[in-house]
Amino acid sequence: MTRLRLQIRKTPAPGPPTPAKRKPAKKTKKAVVFFEVEILDAKTKDKLCFLDKVGKILPSFSLHWYPARQSIRLDPKGKSLKDEDVLQHLPVGTTATFYFRDLGAQISWVTVFLTEYAGPLLIYLMFYFRVPFIYAPKYDFTTSKHWVVHLACMCHSFHYVKRLLETLFVHRFSHGTMPLRNIFKNCTYYWGFAAWMAYYINHPLYTPPTYGEQQIRLALTVFLFCQIGNFSIHIALRNLRPPGSKTRKIPYPTKNPFTWIFLLVSCPNYTYELGSWLGFTLMTQCLPVAFFTLVGFIQMTVWAKGKHRSYLKEFRDYPTLRSPILPFIL
Amino acid sequence: MSAPAMGTSKTAHSDSSNKKKKGPGTLATAYLVIYNVVMTAGWLVIAVGLVRAYLARGSYHGLYYSIEKPLKFFQTGALLEILHCAVGIVPSSVVLTGFQVMSRVFLTWAVTHSVREVQSEDSVLLFVVAWTVTEIIRYSFYTFSLLNHLPYLIKWARYTFFIVLYPMGVAGELLTIYAALPYVQKTGLYSITLPNKYNFSFDYHTFLILVMVSYIPLFPQLYFHMMRQRKKVLGHVEEYSKVE
């Protein structure tokens, strides 16, 4: 028999949520309404536990089911309840039935981001410095004779250092965790593509862009413009959300001109990201970089459309001029 | 041909989401029946061609040439099945179907057709025979299913013959790719080398080796999936009457 660690809050807690993922029970001076709570498995409908006088904290039994893995919902196929939900405010009678789903092993978003971004940074540098066993031995530890290759290394490294710093200091995540298997999937993607791109850019037989300095200068301008843009959006999104909160608000243009794109686009962070990689593709004139840009664009479009849809669903007054990722097009 | 199918599925889209259990509309069903009948006939032509050529020559050697054209035509035609899934008239996964059809098309065109030297290999006959028998059973299975008159024999054959035909086909395919390797390496077929303007390279020889390696995780999964399907479909029938 397994039991869940379930803390039901009967009155809303003051101030920011406590680190505990479940709701702490409180003894109040008002007349206490007791709830009966039963938890069923969402798939098999087996009764997992029954609490007849809620107000008590049950000891946690099963170590497999730490709170981040627990998905508790009112409907077996419905959305998960949030940590902040209060039992009294849910549409349940005095006997509440909840459904439990095990989300599987979880890992924190921060950990995943740091790992998936540190990889490309280091891997690219290994190719740039022509570490042994990649290229022919006579090229070990040599440097490319093309200045664009040095520039590309700086841009690529800057991009991932920026991402790492943003993960640590800028982003405010809605979810604490994601499924563990994502780290393997994500790292394979990022690390694999980084190695593939870096191999060609830093290759002894690399061919610089056809239109030379003109092309590289334009590409660098686009790249830097979009990096600043992307960062501006991240800051703007961060400022929508007070520290430690998970509120969602409609983002609007700020005094920073790079945020004026919010007038036309729901997810300009993705728009700028696409722009950065297009710049990098132009700078290196390398087909694998173009592939990486394309695949990234497809994924970001999927995310942008999802985000756009949830904005529309959540906010009645959401601006109608906005497209998910590309102004007027997509 | 795809236009009427698209049209029906678009208007029938709201219908099909309500009538999910009823499957494709009448027009789509008619089209699918015709498709499956044509494919059954096509693979029968290939089967007959193989037998006739064998009887005429008296040996297994070089039978590929006698059925080369219908093989290419009907195997390539199977690409339509990806479309059927994408449009929704067939309830299979686009990705899975796409993968299966593309691997067949790859072997037909990118290996057997492209590397002339392997065409006289016996391994080609091995997979051609496996494919032919499998497809005749599979397409007649779909035809009868669509008409709601599936003879138990066909169902049994579909879920039993694969036990031998699958490994047979895989063996033929792997041996053929293996036979092609030296010729691909020698001629640099479908390969791009550095330096070039787009800073890209592709070694078809290495790619073929990776394809062969990919059979290791993939084949057992597909095989055991069919095994489980067999237990589900045939095991189930033992509880009920065998007369359809």
Side-chain angles (χ1 to χ4, degrees), chain A residues 7 36 43 60 63 104 114 116 165 199 227 250 256 284 294 323:
Chain A
Q7 299 167 289
E36 279 183 343
K43 275 188 260 189
S60 63
L63 288 165
L114 293 177
E116 70 189 15
L165 293 174
Y199 174 78
Q227 289 289 284
I250 305 178
N256 182 344
T284 56
L294 179 66
S323 313

Side-chain angles (χ1 to χ4, degrees), chain A residues 4-48:
Chain A
L4 300 167
R5 180 156 177 263
L6 184 73
Q7 299 167 289
I8 310 287
R9 189 191 295 160
K10 286 206 298 303
T11 52
T18 57
K21 298 269 175 189
R22 293 289 105 155
K23 315 124 197 176
K26 275 182 141 186
K27 287 214 162 94
T28 63
K29 291 190 188 131
K30 299 185 227 174
V32 174
V33 177
F34 282 112
F35 289 91
E36 279 183 343
V37 170
E38 61 171 2
I39 316 264
L40 309 179
D41 183 294
K43 275 188 260 189
T44 64
K45 309 288 191 302
D46 291 341
K47 198 180 276 200
L48 295 175

Side-chain angles (χ1 to χ4, degrees), chain B residues 98-236:
Chain B
F99 187 78
Q100 289 171 326
V101 174
M102 287 311 294
S103 73
R104 290 284 193 89
V105 167
F106 177 78
L107 238 119
T108 306
W109 289 100
V111 181
T112 315
H113 166 80
S114 302
V115 186
R116 321 211 78 233
E117 293 86 348
V118 305
Q119 289 168 5
S120 49
E121 292 278 331
D122 291 342
S123 55
V124 173
L125 184 64
L126 200 58
F127 74 72
V128 169
V129 168
W131 291 4
T132 307
V133 179
T134 305
E135 299 301 65
I136 293 171
I137 299 172
R138 186 169 74 97
Y139 286 116
S140 38
F141 174 88
Y142 291 146
T143 310
F144 288 116
S145 297
L146 284 162
L147 298 170
N148 286 313
H149 282 286
L150 180 65
Y152 180 73
L153 181 66
I154 305 276
K155 176 149 72 172
W156 180 85
R158 154 105 160 125
Y159 286 103
T160 306
F161 276 45
F162 80 90
I163 298 176
V164 169
L165 293 177
Y166 230 56
M168 192 172 133
V170 165
E173 291 169 30
L174 285 173
L175 286 167
T176 307
I177 299 175
Y178 185 72
L181 289 177
Y183 301 104
V184 169
Q185 185 160 57
K186 196 170 60 167
T187 60
L189 181 68
Y190 299 147
S191 301
I192 308 171
T193 54
L194 290 175
N196 60 69
K197 214 163 44 152
Y198 297 111
N199 294 300
F200 178 68
S201 68
F202 181 70
D203 182 26
Y204 194 48
H205 180 259
T206 310
F207 180 74
L208 285 176
I209 293 175
L210 290 175
V211 168
M212 289 177 71
V213 168
S214 75
Y215 274 71
I216 299 173
L218 294 172
F219 168 67
Q221 284 192 50
L222 293 167
Y223 194 64
F224 291 120
H225 170 73
M226 282 302 280
M227 281 295 195
R228 270 177 275 130
Q229 290 295 99
R230 180 170 199 267
K231 284 195 178 65
K232 208 166 60 159
V233 171
L234 297 183
H236 173 82

Side-chain angles (χ1 to χ4, degrees), chain A residues 100-120:
Chain A
F100 165 80
R101 187 175 279 269
D102 178 15
L103 295 172
Q106 297 283 301
I107 185 168
S108 84
W109 271 60
V110 173
T111 309
V112 174
F113 272 38
L114 293 177
T115 320
E116 70 189 15
Y117 296 156

